[in-house]
Amino acid sequence: MDGTIIDSTAAVVKHWHTIGNEIGVDPEVILQTSHGRRSIDMLKLLAPEKATLEYVRHMEAMLPQKYGNEAVEIPGARALLQQLISAKAPWAIVTSGTEPLVHGWLDVLKLPHPEHLVTAESVENGKPDPACYKLGWSRLGLPADAEVLVLEDSPAGIKAGKAAGCKVIGLVTSHTMEQVVAAEPDWVVRDLSSVKMLSCGEDGRVTLQFSDALIAKVQ
């Protein structure tokens, strides 16, 4: 979600500065590795006494409430979601955020809520572990031999998608081109304004067009 559908970077920076000061950890240290990873996984390393889902759900629920005006949609995200929904194509959000965070941001930006959702609470291990994308695949009801496409911006998420057996488009929205390429996605684009749905078959198989791809195929 974050970095792929919405950009809440400014809000997240303020959020982690508040949390960092609260737990006595330099916020800049947290921010160096936090994007794309679950808050609970960061807290397990930095402040184990705070690493509970109850605490994480509470602190993430406050993010959209306190910093709602700090987030914007990623270019092309709304149009692509509307195309998928109109065509009844299967799609899901698989995120390192908690349910309160996801629903909070989607409500603030008036973006559609997915029928299928995988959050931080859904799996034991977060990205780059592939469990979240394997669960998303399962919840979509797709067969084991289906072709599933992941849209990701963080190296941890790209690695998780690839390890789950998916094709991955890497977006250069939150990390440098070099960091995205190093995670080895199948394609790299700047944002979702480069991705357009051309058709969707009765079996849910979608044909996409990439324009202005930064890298057409990562070797």
Side-chain angles (χ1 to χ4, degrees):
M1 183 186 69
D2 206 354
T4 305
I5 297 175
I6 69 165
D7 180 0
S8 64
T9 303
V12 170
V13 169
K14 291 181 178 179
H15 164 75
W16 277 119
H17 271 82
T18 299
I19 299 301
N21 292 330
E22 180 180 319
I23 65 178
V25 177
D26 184 350
E28 295 304 322
V29 172
I30 301 174
L31 289 167
Q32 286 173 8
T33 55
S34 62
H35 192 88
R37 300 179 63 189
R38 300 187 307 172
S39 295
I40 194 168
D41 293 331
M42 297 300 299
L43 291 172
K44 284 177 181 177
L45 297 173
L46 302 172
E49 71 281 1
K50 294 286 190 180
T52 67
L53 277 175
E54 181 181 15
Y55 175 74
V56 171
R57 282 173 61 89
H58 171 73
M59 75 174 193
E60 290 194 352
M62 300 302 295
L63 246 169
Q65 295 177 29
K66 293 176 65 176
Y67 308 114
N69 62 342
E70 299 280 356
V72 295
E73 60 191 70
I74 294 294
R78 187 181 299 272
L80 181 60
L81 288 176
Q82 289 174 342
Q83 289 174 336
L84 293 170
I85 292 168
S86 296
K88 294 183 171 55
W91 69 283
I93 287 180
V94 176
T95 178
S96 296
T98 58
E99 285 190 40
L101 181 70
V102 175
H103 294 304
W105 279 131
L106 294 179
D107 286 343
V108 165
L109 292 174
K110 295 181 172 55
L111 286 164
H113 290 249
E115 180 180 353
H116 307 286
L117 176 64
V118 175
T119 63
E121 300 97 325
S122 306
V123 292
E124 184 67 27
N125 298 307
K127 302 171 185 178
D129 190 283
C132 56
Y133 279 117
K134 289 182 178 180
L135 180 58
W137 187 320
S138 174
R139 289 187 174 176
L140 285 171
L142 300 174
D145 61 350
E147 288 186 302
V148 179
L149 179 68
V150 164
L151 308 172
E152 264 287 357
D153 67 300
S154 73
I158 292 169
K159 292 176 182 177
K162 292 295 293 181
C166 304
K167 297 292 186 181
V168 180
I169 299 178
L171 279 67
V172 186
T173 54
S174 64
H175 290 73
T176 65
M177 166 79 83
E178 291 73 20
Q179 289 171 321
V180 171
V181 171
E184 300 184 338
D186 295 281
W187 302 273
V188 179
V189 298
R190 190 169 306 283
D191 54 42
L192 291 183
S193 61
S194 295
V195 182
K196 179 182 179 181
M197 193 191 80
L198 296 182
S199 65
C200 179
E202 292 183 2
D203 60 354
R205 189 179 182 88
V206 171
T207 300
L208 298 176
Q209 179 187 66
F210 306 154
S211 59
D212 302 320
L214 301 179
I215 295 181
K217 188 77 171 179
V218 176
Q219 299 297 329

